[in-house]
Amino acid sequence: EAGVAQSPRYKIIEKRQSVAFWCNPISGHATLYWYQQILGQGPKLLIQFQNNGVVDDSQLPKDRFSAERLKGVDSTLKIQPAKLEDSAVYLCASSQVEGGEQFFGPGTRLTVL
Amino acid sequence: GQSLEQPSEVTAVEGAIVQINCTYQTSGFYGLSWYQQHDGGAPTFLSYNALDGLEETGRFSSFLSRSDSYGYLLLQELQMKDSASYFCAVKDSNYQLIWGAGTKLIIKP
């Protein structure tokens, strides 16, 4: 069984630029999560999808971050414009059902200069 | 507010036993999970406790006391490959994970 796929693995951008991350969850997993992990901290949930609907986006900075999961499968997370404090690893995870064991992708390491 | 407390760093010797504690204060509680994360890697699931008591999976065990809002991860027969960060995470009333800051486990030969 293939795991959670994410791309790109690394991205370096200047502040005020835009960036997008892609995630393909494990086949059949209905729930998809985007986390932000700053160095030395635990992951922080940004947004949770159940199929193609948003369950929780209370910690998503909506003035600059957006995410979609149009067909209930893969998802994209966008930052526009990026700030220095957005430098972090962006992790995508999926679970078969809401509240189930979460499986993580390798993450995208974003550096904003 | 919601908070999880775990030591920032623990050092142990190869072959020994180490315990990583986690105390939590959350608005709701369904269970306590433990994840392992190697440097540059993704978190991987280790264990989940919904009820009080000890759960054993090979060299790793996890304990929960809901009345004390406390749990721990016990790693036995430590191997160098166990060097990693270990996170406790509470599943709250919305079925979401609230994560601790992680404990960096350093293993010396």
Side-chain angles (χ1 to χ4, degrees):
Chain A
E1 179 182 80
V4 177
Q6 288 188 249
S7 67
R9 292 295 312 279
Y10 304 91
K11 190 74 177 179
I12 300 173
I13 60 172
E14 303 267 337
K15 60 183 179 183
R16 290 188 289 274
Q17 285 188 320
S18 304
V19 65
F21 313 127
W22 175 82
C23 171
N24 193 31
I26 292 173
S27 177
H29 280 199
T31 312
L32 186 147
Y33 314 79
W34 281 103
Y35 289 91
Q36 179 192 61
Q37 186 175 25
I38 293 172
L39 188 65
Q41 298 182 19
K44 182 183 85 169
L45 179 68
L46 293 176
I47 189 167
Q48 176 183 338
F49 291 95
Q50 182 68 20
N51 296 308
N52 61 349
V54 175
V55 174
D56 187 324
D57 62 358
S58 58
Q59 297 196 87
L60 188 74
K62 298 180 187 65
D63 58 333
R64 298 184 301 105
F65 286 62
S66 64
E68 60 184 13
R69 192 185 185 198
L70 292 176
K71 296 183 178 179
V73 181
D74 57 348
S75 174
T76 55
L77 176 70
K78 297 179 182 177
I79 308 175
Q80 181 179 12
K83 292 185 175 181
L84 296 177
E85 60 260 36
D86 298 332
S87 293
V89 175
Y90 291 84
L91 295 164
C92 178
S94 69
S95 62
Q96 197 165 21
V97 296
E98 188 177 2
E101 179 184 341
Q102 295 184 25
F103 296 84
F104 285 80
T108 297
R109 184 176 298 275
L110 173 68
T111 301
V112 182
L113 302 176
Chain B
Q2 305 195 96
S3 67
L4 285 83
E5 298 288 334
Q6 53 180 130
S8 59
E9 188 176 291
V10 171
T11 301
V13 178
E14 191 177 14
I17 300 173
V18 71
Q19 178 174 313
I20 299 174
N21 298 320
C22 175
T23 58
Y24 58 86
Q25 185 174 14
T26 57
S27 57
F29 180 87
Y30 274 108
L32 183 69
S33 298
W34 288 93
Y35 283 79
Q36 178 192 61
Q37 186 177 32
H38 287 98
D39 283 347
T44 55
F45 174 82
L46 291 177
S47 68
Y48 176 70
N49 294 66
L51 303 175
D52 288 354
L54 189 68
E55 296 278 345
E56 297 180 71
T57 308
R59 295 187 297 113
F60 293 3
S61 303
S62 57
F63 172 83
L64 175 66
S65 169
R66 288 176 299 173
S67 60
D68 295 323
S69 298
Y70 164 76
Y72 66 72
L73 179 69
L74 190 74
L75 297 84
Q76 302 181 74
E77 300 172 20
L78 285 172
Q79 302 175 10
M80 297 304 293
K81 67 178 182 180
D82 298 329
S83 294
S85 291
Y86 292 84
F87 293 87
C88 59
V90 164
K91 183 184 292 185
D92 70 6
S93 53
N94 294 317
Y95 294 113
Q96 292 171 357
L97 289 179
I98 311 299
W99 295 71
T103 298
K104 185 177 179 71
L105 175 60
I106 298 169
I107 300 174
K108 297 184 176 180

